[in-house]
Amino acid sequence: MQEAFLVHGGAQCGMCTPGMILAAVSLLERNSHPSEAEIRNVLAGNLCRCTGYTKIFEAVVKACES
């Protein structure tokens, strides 16, 4: 997950990154192939104050594909 965040620009300023990564890993432990809606739902619990969730979401999607 950390590598996906780095490769896909999900680690923007870094403030929300630990929570986003932990939430995404927790989701993958429960469901190895989550839907886009499930990913968005789990990430919604963390506030990103940069530019939004697009790159973070893309990073999690790519990590799920691996």
Side-chain angles (χ1 to χ4, degrees), residues 39-50:
I39 295 170
R40 289 186 188 279
N41 185 49
V42 79
L43 295 181
N46 291 291
L47 177 64
C48 173
R49 293 176 37 171
C50 289

Side-chain angles (χ1 to χ4, degrees), residues 24-45:
V25 168
S26 177
L27 172 64
L28 290 179
E29 287 175 349
R30 291 178 276 129
N31 179 0
S32 60
H33 297 332
S35 68
E36 288 189 15
E38 290 171 312
I39 295 170
R40 289 186 188 279
N41 185 49
V42 79
L43 295 181

